[in-house]
Amino acid sequence: MAILLFADHDNASLSEQTAKALTAAAQIGAEVDILIAGKDAAAAASQAAALAGVRNVLLAEADALEHRLAEPAAALILSLAPGYDTIIAPATTTGKNVLPRVAALLDVMQVSEVTEIVSADTFKRPIYAGNAIEVVQSTDATRVVTVRTAGFAAAGAGSAAAPVVAVETTDAGAALSSFVENILSANDRPDLTSAKIIVSGGRALGSDEQFRAVLNPVADKLGAAVGASRAAVDSGYAPNDLQVGQTGKVVAPDLYIACGISGAIQHLAGMKDSKIIVAINTDEEAPIFQVADYGIVGDLFQILPELESSL
Ligand code: FAD
């Protein structure tokens, strides 16, 4: 038995999500090879090789793989698939883009957004926006699995670096898609999905000016990322990429401060695994208090400036 872990990286560095998915892969209980598909990606490969519990790092470099487009990346994984009975990836934008194509081409069922490894073929995953946990046993010869990394600690450094092995690439899939442009929003705050602290705002913020004026100073003091509820995003108070929840990002920081957020189930689906949750809400009956470790019943426009000056 062996596992192929499709790494999330940007050629220069390996994302922490890969180290977390490695922990999940290790719990399956087989040898793990990490696949770095990219271009000029030796740096990411050596970071992967330094992780504990890695048998080999497979380094596949080609122009078509530079941006890990689904078509050439899936074709590459397919060419390696016969050597593995599990193909796993973190459920990041890249993992969620590439692995369904792999599963379709292998004609197997993907098990998506796994939160717990029960055994080599059995996994737990949330359904109904996290209201129920499904136990899925796969009878497929090759299991294709994405991991919701929030529930897994990142694998640490190993005692010796794993070998980095160059892998043959082909042109398969390369003509099907091409990379045009990567437009990144300018943001000097930590990335929402990897931030240790998130200050998140809801509809109660009332306007985009107030959203920024009230949340940013506290986030600045804490070195935190800023998040938002869907109501805040839909009202235009915050950009789309800040949305936390079922249809936004799934986060699990050490500290999540929910300000003027009621705690709808779809919001909780994205943040309830946070280690410590602080809620600030004027309504003591707000559902957010049911998941909060610390609750402050009060007006966020008064409490947040006070918190900022105390910090
Ligand atoms: P509200 O529910 O309006 O809550 C505002 C809160 O602010 C209230 O609790 C109020 O008491 C409090 N408040 C008011 N004034 C103050 C003040 N001055 N100080 C402190 N507190 C105050 N939502 C998400 O967030 N993420 C998702 O990904 C998401 N996906 C969805 C997917 C589907 C299919 C559907 C149907 C819905 C989804 N939603 C999602 C929407 C979700 O159901 C809620 O409508 C939304 O989360 C509510 O946002 P909110 O808490 O900011 O607003």
Side-chain angles (χ1 to χ4, degrees), residues 61-256:
E61 297 191 281
D63 288 347
L65 295 170
E66 182 173 7
H67 302 286
R68 288 155 300 286
L69 298 176
E71 291 78 5
L76 170 70
I77 294 171
L78 224 66
S79 71
L80 300 167
Y84 299 93
D85 41 26
T86 304
I87 296 166
I88 196 165
T92 55
T93 308
T94 302
K96 290 195 278 192
N97 193 25
V98 174
L99 254 60
R101 189 173 178 87
V102 173
L105 292 168
L106 288 171
D107 196 21
V108 299
M109 174 192 75
Q110 173 170 301
V111 187
S112 302
E113 309 244 354
V114 160
T115 51
E116 194 180 321
I117 311 292
V118 179
S119 70
D121 64 358
T122 308
F123 310 92
K124 288 191 181 175
R125 58 183 298 271
I127 54 171
Y128 302 127
N131 269 329
I133 303 296
E134 181 181 51
V135 183
V136 185
Q137 183 171 30
S138 168
T139 53
D140 286 319
T142 307
R143 289 173 285 279
V144 176
V145 178
T146 63
V147 178
R148 190 176 278 191
T149 51
F152 296 92
S159 49
V164 177
V165 182
V167 169
E168 287 281 319
T169 59
T170 66
D171 288 341
L176 291 172
S177 60
S178 60
F179 174 81
V180 177
E181 194 182 0
N182 195 10
I183 304 174
L184 294 173
S185 54
N187 191 353
D188 45 18
R189 293 189 185 286
D191 174 54
L192 201 51
T193 48
S194 55
K196 302 273 180 247
I197 305 177
I198 296 174
V199 180
S200 208
R203 197 196 307 270
L205 270 305
S207 71
D208 57 341
E209 290 86 10
Q210 293 191 139
F211 193 94
R212 286 195 302 272
V214 178
L215 293 191
N216 284 2
V218 178
D220 288 343
K221 283 267 167 76
L222 290 169
V226 171
S229 72
R230 177 156 152 186
V233 170
D234 287 351
S235 307
Y237 307 162
N240 243 313
D241 57 336
L242 297 194
Q243 186 178 317
V244 171
Q246 184 188 340
T247 42
K249 292 191 171 125
V250 177
V251 298
D254 292 341
L255 173 63
Y256 188 89

Side-chain angles (χ1 to χ4, degrees), residues 256-271:
Y256 188 89
I257 307 178
C259 311
I261 293 177
S262 59
I265 186 72
Q266 296 89 355
H267 188 79
L268 302 186
M271 46 63 73

Side-chain angles (χ1 to χ4, degrees), residues 2-49:
I3 300 166
L4 183 65
L5 167 55
F6 176 63
D8 199 86
H9 66 91
D10 64 1
N11 297 315
S13 60
L14 194 71
S15 91
E16 198 190 26
Q17 315 302 325
T18 305
K20 290 181 173 181
L22 176 60
T23 300
Q27 289 175 9
I28 294 175
E31 306 257 45
V32 183
D33 291 346
I34 297 185
L35 172 61
I36 303 283
K39 188 184 172 197
D40 301 328
S46 61
Q47 288 163 32

